[in-house]
Amino acid sequence: QVQLVESGGGLVQAGGSLRLSCAASGRTFSDYVMGWFRQAPGKEREFVAAIRWSGGNTVYADSVKGRFTISRDNAKNTVYLQMNSLKVEDTAVYYCAANRLALSMARAVYDFWGQGTQVTVSS
């Protein structure tokens, strides 16, 4: 059974940084794409970033380009989201997700999801 467990969320001031982690288990992920999504109160869940486990190709939402970096550690089966220059509007629950199909921004493509971790950015 695939398990994705996020950690690293918290409260930070605007301009600060956080690093989220997603520990993946349950199968071999070398042919998977790992993504980060976020959902703010009253809003749809939206794409943030994704990385192809094999090869490391990445894609980002325009709203986070230049501020967030997605990466993976093959030995630890963990995906990271380094978030710098955080803004109040980055406040959301952040979810890790996985799919075998494509390096995609589409939520429907992702088969497996973590439980989420809260990120709150104060002004």
Side-chain angles (χ1 to χ4, degrees):
Q1 183 73 2
V2 172
Q3 269 202 315
L4 304 175
V5 180
E6 302 97 333
S7 61
L11 173 65
V12 64
Q13 284 193 324
S17 298
L18 278 176
R19 188 177 80 158
L20 305 183
S21 300
C22 172
S25 62
R27 62 183 59 186
T28 302
F29 287 91
S30 58
D31 56 346
Y32 273 75
V33 169
M34 306 297 294
W36 286 98
F37 288 76
R38 66 186 182 187
Q39 188 166 17
K43 294 190 175 182
E44 294 284 320
R45 191 172 299 189
E46 65 175 6
F47 172 80
V48 175
I51 185 168
R52 188 178 298 281
W53 205 288
S54 176
N57 305 75
T58 58
V59 62
Y60 294 92
D62 287 344
S63 59
V64 306
K65 273 181 188 174
R67 300 189 299 122
F68 291 10
T69 302
I70 188 170
S71 63
R72 85 271 192 239
D73 184 327
N74 293 341
K76 296 183 178 179
N77 248 21
T78 299
V79 175
Y80 302 100
L81 186 68
Q82 178 67 43
M83 306 186 295
N84 298 329
S85 302
L86 281 161
K87 304 176 181 180
V88 171
E89 51 264 43
D90 293 319
T91 296
V93 177
Y94 282 71
Y95 297 90
C96 178
N99 88 83
R100 292 186 66 181
L101 295 177
L103 189 62
S104 174
M105 298 184 182
R107 189 176 62 188
V109 169
Y110 290 81
D111 302 303
F112 304 103
W113 293 84
Q115 82 289 349
T117 185
Q118 176 71 47
V119 171
T120 303
V121 184
S122 63
S123 59

